[in-house]
Structures are given as C-alpha cells and as structure tokens.
C-alpha cells in the first residue's frame, strides 16, 4: 500500500501481502509486493505485458508458493489453502484453460462439479450463459468457439460457484466494447453483492471502473490509488483548456504563465486561439483564471476542466518512473 | 453429521466431474471410437477369415552323383509321395542346384552323399545335406522339420526293405529247419540218404544261427548281449544234435510269427495319437483373440491415460485444478474411474463381437473374465498416468505408449512363449499387464479353467502400487515451485 492510497477507515482486508516475492531462476517475477485489498471492492491491476500481473494472481491463488515475503487471503497463506477456502475463490485465467473437447454446457457443468455444486445447477448455468451471451451455444465444442466466445465461457466458469473473491486475469481481452461494458456492469453488481474482484487488464481505461488501481512495472508495484488520484498523480495536477475569441499576444501569454495557479508554468498553446494549462486544483484555479482574463481584457469563449485519458496517465506514470530510474 | 454428509457429497461430486469429463471427452470423438472398436474387430475378422492353417510345399532339387551306386534307388524314391516337398529335379550338379536356390527358383536342395553305401558298411551314418535360404525363424524351423521327416522316411523305407529281405531269409531257414527235422527222423530210422542232407546243412545261415541262440537261451537275451561267433561245423549244436526237436519247433514258430507280422508294424511298432483335454476345437484365430484383446486394452488404456495428465499440464487446465478445491487424489481417482467406465464398455462390446460374430468360444466364468479385464485395464491406466506425469509433450507420451506396445508384442507371449526368453526379458514381461491378461484370458476363454490365483494378486498389487506412485507424482505436479 502506498502512502497516497485512500482506503476507507478501518477496512476489512480480504487480501494482504508483505514483501511478496517470486523468483524464477535468475528472473524476478514479483518483487517485494506489499498490498492490501479491502473486502467488497473492485481492485484493478494494470501494467504492461510481462510486468508480473499474472504471477501476482497465481501467488494469491496459491498456485505458486512465494520465494519470500508472505500473502494472506481470508487470513490464510494461499499455498496452504484448505479446500473450503479454495471453494470461496473464483479464477478466470488469462488463456483459455477449459476442456477443448467438451461442449460449452459440459465445460460449465465440469467446473460446477469441480467446485462441488450439486445436480441442481441447471438454472445457474443458464443464467451464466445468458450473462456471457452464450445461450444457444450450449452444444458447441469449446475448441470450435471463437477466441472471444472462449473468454466468455471462461468468465462464466469462474463465476459458476458464486465465489466471494474473484480473480479475473484480463477478462475483457478480445471482447467487443458493448459486451465489455456489460461485463463491467456485472462486475459492479457483484461488488454490490459484497464480492471482491481482483481484475488485471491491459485496457487502462477500464481502471475508471475500479475502486482501487494498482500499477505494476517490472515486477514492482508502483502505486495503489483510486482512479481519480491516479489521474492526478499521472498528470501531476489537473488540466484546464481555454479557447479565446481573438489572438493572444505574446506578452499576455507570458504574463499568464507567471500566474501562481498554474503549476510550474506548465502551459502550452494548442493553436493561436486555444491553450492548455496544468493547475493543482481546477475547481480553485478556474475562477482565478477567468478573473485574470477579465482584468486583462482577454475574451474567453470557452473554459473547461479536461479529463485526461487513463492511457495518457498510464504512459506518463510509466515514463516518469523509467526516467527516474 | 450434516457437515460430514456435505463433505462426502462434495467429494463425490468433484470425483464425478473427472469421471464425466474423461468419459465425454473420449466418446465425443466418433472417429476415435470407430478406430478403437471397429478397427481391432475388423482386423480380427479379416485374420479369422483369411488365416489358412496350412504349410507350403517346398520345391526341391535332389543332387545325387551319377556314379553313385544308389542313384537308381534315389530316383525311384523320389517318385514316392514325400511330406512337405515336391521334387522338381534330380541332378548331379550341386553348383547348378545351389544356383537355382539362390535365385529362389527352388526352396530346398538335398545332397545325397555319394559314398552312402561305403559309410554305412563302415558302420558310420551317411549324411543328407539340406540347403535352404530361409530367414524367417518359423520358416527355418519348418525346413528343419521337413528335412527331419524326409530323413526319417528314408530310414523307414530302408528298414522296410531290410525287413522284407529278412522275411525272405526266414522263409528259407524255415525250409532248412523242416529238412533238418526230416533228417533227424531219418537218423532215428537209419536213413543214410537223409543224413547226407545234414552234411550239406552244416554251415547254417547267420540269421538262423542267431535265432537258434535266442531259442537256446529262452529268447531273453538278444544278440547284443550274446557275443556271436561263427560256428564251425564241428561245433554246430544242431549238427551235433545238441539242439533238441522242441527247440527247433520253437525257432520255427518264431520265424513263422516274424514272417507273418506286418513289415510296417515291425519298423514302426508305435504310432502317435494326440488328444486335447479341451472340449472344443480351438482355431488359430481363437488362440490369438485373448492375446489381441489384452494387448489392445493395454495399449488403449496407456494411450488415453498417457495423454490425460500431460495434456492437462500443457494445455493449462492443470492450473484451474490447482486453483479449485480439488486435490490430487480426487483428480486421479476421477480419471481412473472415467477411463475404467469407457474401457469397460469398449471391452464389453469387443467381447460380444468376437464371441457372437467371430465365434470365439467362451468356456470359463464371466465374473473372472470381467475381473481380469478390470485388473489389466487398471494396471495399464496406472502405467499410462505414470508416463503422462513424466512426458514433456503429447507426442512423447504417444511414443512411450508405442514403445510399450512393441515390447508387449515381443515379451508378453503373444507370438513367443515366455520360456523362450531369458530371465531379464521375462522380468520385463511380468511387468506388463498384457502378459497376465494374455495368459489369464486364454485360460478362462479357451480352457475354461481358473487362472492361478497369484496372477490376480500380483496384478492387484501392481495396480495399487501404481495408483500410489501416480497420486504422489500428481500431488507434486499440482504444487508448482
């Protein structure tokens, strides 16, 4: 957990780790990961490919024992889970890992049996197939499904036993935007029902749907923040965009750059009539900015706070970290 | 109590997941089913229809020297029906005959020894030399048998001729005895003309002398035990009237018996007659069916199980198992049961087909038959799972399976009996379930007997050991390091 992390007061931690490390031969997969995840939240895990997201998931699932450090899920070390504890966890791996020779229905049924769900599972399976829009495909052999359909089937299989804690490793990869939105809606529903979701993704924009976002790079967790804070940290402030009625003279541009509400003079022209500037807090800076324009005879056509994309934020963070190194 | 019930129910459900998975994964492949059931059945059917339990006739050249004293006899002999050969030529050229053999124009060349008579007269065996160029061990053995039979038949023919000659001599000697007795009668009556005849018979033929010696000793000791020395006229017991009339009568009776006996019986006093304790006629295809069934079950079980864990490992499905509330014991037990059910159905179908369509007899207990099938299958699955846990790819697992199949064909007693193998190979043989299956299924199906109980115990112990080893191995695989 980083210092800037904004967790609720006295949370009930479902996942905790301290200096959790996994080394494969000469290569460090996860390096001293310290993390806390409160129950009933959506935790997004973002980072470039190969940064250690999947290894972290496997460590928390108990698939890998740690090389050093420790993790606790439900208060127990993952690689020593009891069968009952494993039954409280759902897992959707990054790759399709169901039975390629079985039908959609048989795969779901197999997973249900794997989690000890009795024969009265029919309605649950129908409901899940409906959620992942695979109704009508029950008799299709899994290996004959498209990549996107296989991901949907994997998601349904991960949810079949209605788990308390759900690890989803890139659940939306290869899914069309409409269905992706539907998935996230369902994830939020699950969160509302008290479930905790640990979701890795390469779609950085999906960080907006999460309660907390962890950014990982080269096996190290850089930060855990709310999406809002992440943007602030990424851009190091907030962005205001201005559009003027007429040209702004060079003198006035330099004068504006020297104003205290602009952070470190960070301002750049987009064209002759518009510019962007970085402020600490847009809500405070915007009235001061408009006041300065009025006092200096500058006609403002439009002024607004810009929401930078998470892609930009992510790129900023990663570049800054690498430059710092 | 309800907690215990819940745990047991969950355990059974988890095991059932693997039973159904393995079962449905296998039966969902109709081509595979066709290959597994129809393939072996059709092979057996074609084998049964096409197999002829006959042996070929060897095209043969007899080489006999032109200046040999027995050339005419050999040519006459060649006209007789001979077992397993057809004489295509009689020649004096050994080189030409061998050349024909090399060009595969003939299958056998028999060299008659040019000095046969001299050798025999010198109290030595004369040697027939047989040349062939067979490479198949079974064909080589067949040639050996044919050569043996030809030699035997030759010896038999010579013996028959000797006996016929002996009979002719015996008839002459009977006439001599008759004359002798008449002389004696005349002597008693002082008939000088008859006495003169006796002088002419002083030197009795050797054969008669031999018989006389027999008669003198009550026929208990033979010529080999009694040194025979040629009698001179003064020592002739008959001439000197040491042999009485009763003894002469006995000799005459024995000669009569000898003459009246069939020459064939004298030469071959015994003939063979073999009878099987089996109540039914076992056809060659029947003999091979239990072996094929055992081999087939072993191969399919090893292949299916061999692919099972290795594909879970490399397709990633093992990762889901590691994350799920399922342990190695449940996974393994479920897989064992799933494949056992499938292979049980397969074995039942094949058994029905071979019994009702191929007409293979089924003499023994169905229960024992099912037990053997069960044990052979479960041990084979154990071997397959062991291979699977060590194999690094699907193809490696299949390669192991094929190697075992090959080893089974050579070492299980499928076409070579186990006693023909040295002990290290026999040890390998007894590590393979097909060896047990082959012997036990043959006992049950064809002999209608119960296999020895130690075979069941060993198979059971192997099954248990393999399950334990596989369990420990899978446990290790399910915890990654």
């Amino acid at each position: 957990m980083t210092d800037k992390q904004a967790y609720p007061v006295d949370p009930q931690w479902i996942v905790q780790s301290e200096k959790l490390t996994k080394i494969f031969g000469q290569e460090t997969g996860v390096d001293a990961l310290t993390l806390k995840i409160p129950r009933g939240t959506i935790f997004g895990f973002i980072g470039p490919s190969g940064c250690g997201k999947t290894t972290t998931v496997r460590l928390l699932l108990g698939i890998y024992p740690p090389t050093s450090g420790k993790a606790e899920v439900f208060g127990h070390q993952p690689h020593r889970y009891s069968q009952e504890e494993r039954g409280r966890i759902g897992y959707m791996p990054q790759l399709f890992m169901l039975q390629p020779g079985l039908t959609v229905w048989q795969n779901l049924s197999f997973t249900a049996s794997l989690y000890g769900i009795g024969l009265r599972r029919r309605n649950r399976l129908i409901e899940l197939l409906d959620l992942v829009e695979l109704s009508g495909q029950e008799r299709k052999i899994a290996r004959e499904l498209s990549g996107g359909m296989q991901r949907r089937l994997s998601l349904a299989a991960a949810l079949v036993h209605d788990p308390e804690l759900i690890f989803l490793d890139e659940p939306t990869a290869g899914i069309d935007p409409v269905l992706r939105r539907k998935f996230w809606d369902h994830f939020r529903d699950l969160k509302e029902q008290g479930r905790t979701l640990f979701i890795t993704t390469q779609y950085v924009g999906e960080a907006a749907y999460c309660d907390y976002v962890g950014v990982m790079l080269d096996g190290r967790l850089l930060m855990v923040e709310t999406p809002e804070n992440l943007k602030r940290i990424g851009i190091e402030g907030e962005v205001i965009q201005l559009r003027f009625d007429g040209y702004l003279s060079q003198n006035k541009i330099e004068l504006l750059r020297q104003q205290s509400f602009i952070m470190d003079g960070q301002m750049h022209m987009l064209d002759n009539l518009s510019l962007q500037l970085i402020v600490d807090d847009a809500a405070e800076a915007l009235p001061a900015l408009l006041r300065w324009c009025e006092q200096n005879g500058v006609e403002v056509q439009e002024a607004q706070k810009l929401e930078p994309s998470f892609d930009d934020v992510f790129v900023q963070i990663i570049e800054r970290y690498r430059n710092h190194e | 109590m309800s907690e215990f019930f819940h745990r047991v129910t969950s355990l059974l459900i988890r095991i059932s997941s693997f039973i159904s998975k393995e079962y449905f994964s296998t039966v969902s492949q109709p081509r595979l089913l066709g290959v597994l059931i129809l393939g072996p059945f059709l092979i057996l059917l074609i084998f049964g229809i096409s197999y002829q339990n006959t042996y070929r006739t060897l095209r043969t050249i007899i080489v006999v020297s032109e200046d040999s004293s027995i050339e005419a006899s050999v040519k006459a002999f060649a006209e007789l029906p001979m077992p397993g050969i057809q004489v295509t030529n009689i020649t004096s050229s050994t080189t030409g005959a061998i050349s024909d053999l090399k060009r595969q124009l003939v299958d056998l060349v028999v060299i008659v020894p040019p000095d046969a008579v001299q050798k025999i007269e010198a109290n030595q065996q004369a040697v027939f030399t047989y040349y062939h160029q067979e490479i198949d061990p079974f064909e080589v053995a067949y040639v050996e048998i044919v050569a043996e039979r030809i030699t035997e038949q030759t010896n038999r023919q010579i013996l028959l001729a000797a006996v016929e000659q002996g009979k002719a001599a015996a008839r002459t000697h009977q006439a001599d005895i008759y004359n002798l007795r008449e002389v004696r009668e005349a002597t008693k009556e002082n008939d000088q003309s008859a006495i003169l005849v006796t002088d002419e018979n002083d030197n009795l033929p050797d054969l008669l002398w031999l018989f006389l010696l027999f008669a003198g000793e009550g026929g208990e000791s033979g010529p080999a035990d009694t040194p025979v020395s040629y009698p001179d006229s003064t020592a002739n017991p008959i001439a000197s009237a040491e042999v009485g009339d009763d003894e002469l009568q006995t000799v005459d009776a024995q000669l009569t018996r000898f003459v009246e006996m069939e020459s064939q019986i004298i030469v071959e006093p015994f003939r063979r007659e073999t009878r099987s304790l089996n109540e039914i006629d076992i056809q060659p295809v029947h003999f091979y069916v239990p072996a094929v069934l055992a081999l087939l079950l072993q191969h399919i079980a090893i292949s299916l199980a061999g692919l099972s864990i290795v594909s879970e490992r490399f397709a990633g499905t093992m990762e889901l198992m590691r994350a799920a509330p399922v342990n190695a014991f449940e996974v393994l037990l479920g897989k064992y049961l799933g494949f056992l059910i499938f292979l049980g159905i397969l074995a039942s179908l094949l058994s029905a087909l071979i019994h009702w369509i191929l007409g293979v007899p089924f003499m023994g207990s169905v229960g024992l038959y099912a037990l053997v099938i069960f044990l052979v299958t479960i041990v084979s699955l154990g071997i397959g799972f062991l291979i699977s846990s060590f194999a690094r790819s699907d193809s490696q697992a299949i390669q192991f399976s094929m190697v075992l199949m090959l080893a089974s064909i050579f070492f299980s007693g499928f076409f070579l009996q186990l006693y023909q193998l040295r002990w290290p190979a026999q040890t390998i043989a007894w590590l393979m379930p097909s060896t047990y299956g082959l012997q036990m299924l043959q006992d049950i199906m064809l002999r209608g007997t119960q296999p020895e109980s130690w075979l069941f115990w060993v198979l059971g112990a192997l099954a248990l050991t393999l399950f334990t080893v596989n369990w420990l191995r899978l446990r290790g695989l399910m915890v990654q390091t």
Side-chain angles (χ1 to χ4, degrees):
Chain A
M1 185 177 71
T2 63
D3 294 337
K4 294 177 185 174
Q5 193 171 328
Y7 281 136
V9 179
D10 194 20
Q12 198 183 354
W13 307 115
I14 196 165
V15 174
Q16 295 184 75
S17 75
E18 195 176 330
K19 294 184 177 172
L20 186 67
T21 302
K22 182 67 186 175
I23 298 171
F24 301 100
Q26 303 293 317
E27 203 170 319
T28 302
V30 172
D31 188 5
L33 179 108
T34 298
L35 177 73
K36 284 184 178 179
I37 300 174
R39 186 181 290 274
T41 57
I42 298 178
F43 186 90
F45 213 43
I46 58 175
S49 182
C51 70
K53 300 190 296 289
T54 299
T55 305
T56 304
V57 169
R58 287 175 175 167
L59 282 165
L60 296 177
L61 281 165
I63 292 173
Y64 291 151
T67 307
S68 63
K70 72 168 189 177
E72 280 189 359
V73 178
F74 300 127
H76 291 99
Q77 293 185 59
H79 62 287
R80 291 185 183 145
Y81 281 147
S82 66
Q83 282 193 320
E84 188 264 331
E85 283 158 350
R86 286 192 186 282
R88 293 162 68 188
I89 299 173
Y91 173 44
M92 176 188 172
Q94 192 175 348
L95 300 173
F96 181 73
M97 290 181 181
L98 290 170
Q99 303 297 326
L102 297 184
T103 63
V104 168
W105 184 267
Q106 284 168 345
N107 261 302
L108 270 188
S109 195
F110 166 68
T111 315
S113 297
L114 211 56
Y115 284 86
I117 298 174
L119 296 176
R120 292 179 184 175
R121 62 178 73 148
R122 186 179 167 75
N123 288 341
R124 175 69 180 156
L125 302 194
I126 291 171
E127 181 190 321
L128 284 168
L129 286 175
D130 193 40
L131 167 73
V132 297
E133 296 187 356
L134 281 176
S135 299
Q137 310 286 338
E138 292 87 346
R139 288 172 181 273
K140 264 200 168 174
I141 301 290
R143 78 165 71 86
E144 292 167 4
L145 297 175
S146 68
M149 288 166 98
Q150 287 182 339
R151 308 254 351 118
R152 280 141 62 187
L153 177 58
S154 294
L155 177 63
L159 302 176
V160 73
H161 57 295
D162 197 15
E164 258 180 82
L165 172 62
I166 306 159
F167 289 92
L168 304 170
D169 199 355
E170 302 194 7
T172 51
I175 304 291
D176 68 78
V178 177
L179 191 57
R180 204 185 305 167
R181 174 61 65 89
K182 190 178 172 184
F183 276 9
W184 277 102
D185 288 345
H186 186 69
F187 297 158
R188 282 181 185 172
D189 288 345
L190 288 170
K191 178 198 143 185
E192 294 306 317
Q193 292 163 23
R195 313 284 180 243
T196 308
L197 294 95
F198 186 107
I199 303 173
T200 74
T201 181
Q202 285 192 12
Y203 295 120
V204 180
E206 290 181 341
Y209 302 119
C210 302
D211 295 308
Y212 302 100
V213 180
V215 181
M216 204 166 190
L217 181 70
D218 300 336
R220 275 181 275 183
L221 183 66
L222 303 185
M223 63 189 70
V224 175
E225 290 296 344
T226 61
E228 280 305 309
N229 279 346
L230 195 68
K231 279 186 181 176
R232 189 185 298 275
I233 291 164
I235 303 299
E236 292 185 315
E238 290 179 340
V239 182
I240 292 175
Q241 185 167 312
L242 283 174
R243 184 166 181 82
F244 307 105
D245 271 345
Y247 291 109
L248 205 61
S249 68
Q250 193 60 38
N251 282 344
K252 284 188 178 170
I253 290 172
E254 288 306 318
L255 199 59
L256 179 58
R257 195 189 296 277
Q258 290 163 16
Q259 299 305 307
S260 60
F261 50 79
I262 297 175
M263 286 180 69
D264 302 329
Q266 291 186 72
M267 187 182 86
H268 64 273
M269 297 297 295
L270 297 176
D271 53 45
N272 289 333
L273 293 175
S274 53
L275 59 77
Q276 281 184 351
L277 41 86
I278 310 292
V279 298
D280 184 37
D281 185 346
E284 285 180 12
L286 199 55
L289 175 65
L290 291 174
R291 208 164 34 246
W292 180 88
C293 289
E294 194 180 341
Q295 287 168 0
N296 290 278
V298 176
E299 293 282 328
V300 175
Q301 193 183 70
E302 189 181 18
Q304 61 175 348
K305 178 189 168 190
L306 274 188
E307 288 294 335
S309 73
F310 275 101
D311 286 342
D312 294 337
V313 171
F314 180 69
V315 170
Q316 287 282 336
I317 291 171
I318 297 296
E319 281 182 353
R320 195 181 308 143
Y321 183 83
R322 284 195 166 139
N323 291 336
H324 187 256
E325 270 194 330
Chain B
M1 188 64 187
S2 64
E3 176 65 18
F4 174 75
F5 180 75
H6 173 72
R7 280 175 182 274
V8 171
T9 311
S10 297
L11 172 81
L12 293 177
I13 291 171
R14 285 195 296 270
I15 291 172
S16 76
S17 68
F18 288 95
I19 297 175
S20 56
K21 177 182 92 74
E22 300 303 353
Y23 178 77
F24 286 120
S25 295
T26 314
V27 297
S28 65
Q29 302 175 62
R31 280 187 194 166
L32 176 72
L33 284 183
V35 170
L36 293 183
I37 299 175
L38 284 179
F41 172 71
L42 285 176
I43 289 168
L44 281 172
L45 183 66
I46 293 166
F47 174 67
I49 291 169
S50 57
Y51 184 80
Q52 307 179 85
N53 193 18
T54 55
Y55 295 97
R56 65 183 174 135
T57 303
L58 302 174
R59 296 163 299 169
T60 305
I61 294 178
I62 298 176
V63 180
V64 57
S65 173
E66 277 175 357
D67 53 358
S68 170
S69 57
I70 61 168
E71 187 194 5
S73 305
V74 170
K75 284 184 175 170
F77 188 70
E79 298 294 320
L80 298 172
M82 302 281 271
I85 66 165
Q86 179 203 351
V87 179
T88 57
N89 192 14
I90 299 173
T91 176
S92 59
S93 167
T94 305
T95 318
I98 296 295
S99 169
D100 283 355
L101 181 64
K102 281 182 180 169
R103 287 187 290 151
Q104 298 187 347
L105 297 175
V106 291
D107 308 307
L108 190 64
V109 171
V110 186
I111 311 288
V112 177
D115 55 348
V117 175
Q118 291 88 328
K119 283 259 185 188
I120 294 165
E121 282 178 353
N123 203 22
Q124 290 176 352
Q125 283 186 313
V127 178
F128 281 137
T129 309
Y130 296 87
Y131 287 98
H132 69 87
Q133 57 170 0
E134 301 298 335
I135 52 169
D136 180 346
F138 290 101
E139 290 298 317
V140 172
Y142 175 64
V143 168
E144 296 283 352
I145 290 168
V146 167
E148 186 67 34
R149 290 182 67 186
I150 294 169
T151 312
E152 274 178 10
Q153 182 156 332
T154 309
N155 287 335
R156 193 160 51 244
Q157 292 295 332
I158 291 167
L159 276 176
L160 271 172
V163 168
E164 288 299 330
Q165 283 179 4
K167 281 184 176 178
R171 285 189 197 99
T172 309
H173 301 321
Q174 277 186 309
D176 292 341
I177 290 169
Y178 178 77
N179 289 338
L180 187 61
R181 287 170 72 184
E182 285 210 331
V183 169
R184 284 197 172 178
E185 289 297 319
T187 308
K188 286 176 188 172
E189 294 165 12
N190 287 327
D191 184 348
Q192 287 302 316
S193 63
I195 293 166
L196 287 172
V197 176
T198 310
D199 292 338
E200 292 168 7
N201 288 280
D202 272 352
N203 292 319
L204 289 173
D206 303 343
L207 190 63
L208 180 57
W209 175 240
L210 207 64
F211 276 109
L212 290 173
L213 281 177
F214 275 126
E217 295 180 9
E220 287 177 0
S221 59
D225 300 320
T226 311
V228 177
S229 58
Y230 283 93
D232 57 31
S233 59
T234 54
N236 189 333
I238 297 175
S240 58
E242 285 175 9
V243 177
D245 285 344
D246 290 347
E247 286 162 333
L248 276 178
Q249 209 168 351
T250 304
V251 171
D252 187 36
Q254 284 180 340
L255 286 173
T256 303
R257 197 174 164 206
F258 170 63
V259 169
E260 285 176 351
M261 274 186 81
E262 288 288 335
S263 302
Q264 182 75 26
I265 301 296
I266 294 168
V267 173
E268 291 180 292
F270 295 101
R271 71 178 174 88
R272 69 174 175 83
E273 192 172 294
T274 51
R275 288 180 189 178
S276 169
L277 284 178
N278 298 322
E279 297 166 15
I280 47 152
D281 181 27
I282 307 287
Q283 302 294 317
V285 69
H286 297 169
F287 171 76
Y288 285 110
V289 161
V292 172
L293 194 62
L295 274 176
L296 204 68
L297 272 179
Q298 178 189 289
H299 181 62
I300 297 172
I302 289 177
S303 300
L304 288 176
L307 286 172
S308 174
I309 293 176
V310 74
S311 59
E312 305 272 19
R313 280 162 60 203
F314 293 102
T317 44
M318 184 74 86
E319 184 163 321
L320 283 181
M321 292 178 207
R322 290 188 188 114
V326 64
N327 59 39
F329 180 82
E330 294 163 354
V331 173
L332 195 63
L333 186 61
K335 283 179 177 287
Y336 261 98
L337 292 174
F339 286 133
L340 271 174
I341 291 171
F342 171 73
L343 289 164
I345 294 170
L346 180 73
S348 305
L349 286 173
L350 270 176
S351 303
L353 284 172
I354 59 179
H355 180 58
W356 280 299
I357 308 290
L358 285 181
V360 178
F362 200 101
M363 307 292 292
S365 151
V366 177
L368 279 179
Y369 177 80
L371 181 60
V372 173
I373 295 284
F374 169 77
L375 286 171
V376 168
T377 309
I378 202 168
V379 175
S380 304
L381 286 173
I383 294 172
F385 286 129
L386 195 63
I387 288 172
S388 199
S389 66
F390 284 99
R392 291 179 180 178
S393 65
D394 287 9
S395 57
Q396 204 177 54
I398 288 293
Q399 283 164 13
F400 275 125
S401 161
M402 292 308 294
V403 167
L404 270 175
M405 174 73 169
L406 201 61
S408 301
I409 289 172
F410 281 103
F411 299 131
S412 67
F414 182 64
F415 70 85
L416 285 175
Q417 293 298 315
L418 289 184
Y419 69 80
Q420 293 175 297
L421 303 172
R422 294 184 198 281
W423 72 264
Q426 286 202 22
T427 310
I428 294 170
W430 288 112
L431 288 174
M432 291 184 298
S434 57
T435 308
Y436 298 83
L438 187 149
Q439 302 212 356
M440 295 163 92
L441 290 180
Q442 280 178 348
D443 280 350
I444 295 168
M445 292 173 75
L446 305 181
R447 294 193 180 94
T449 57
Q450 181 176 335
E452 290 184 66
S453 57
W454 69 268
L455 293 167
F456 290 98
W457 286 111
V458 174
L459 270 182
L462 275 175
L464 204 61
T465 308
L466 282 166
F467 185 89
T468 310
V469 171
N470 284 321
W471 174 33
L472 296 173
R473 178 79 187 137
L474 188 59
R475 243 171 49 149
L477 287 173
M478 286 183 72
V479 179
Q480 284 201 345
T481 53

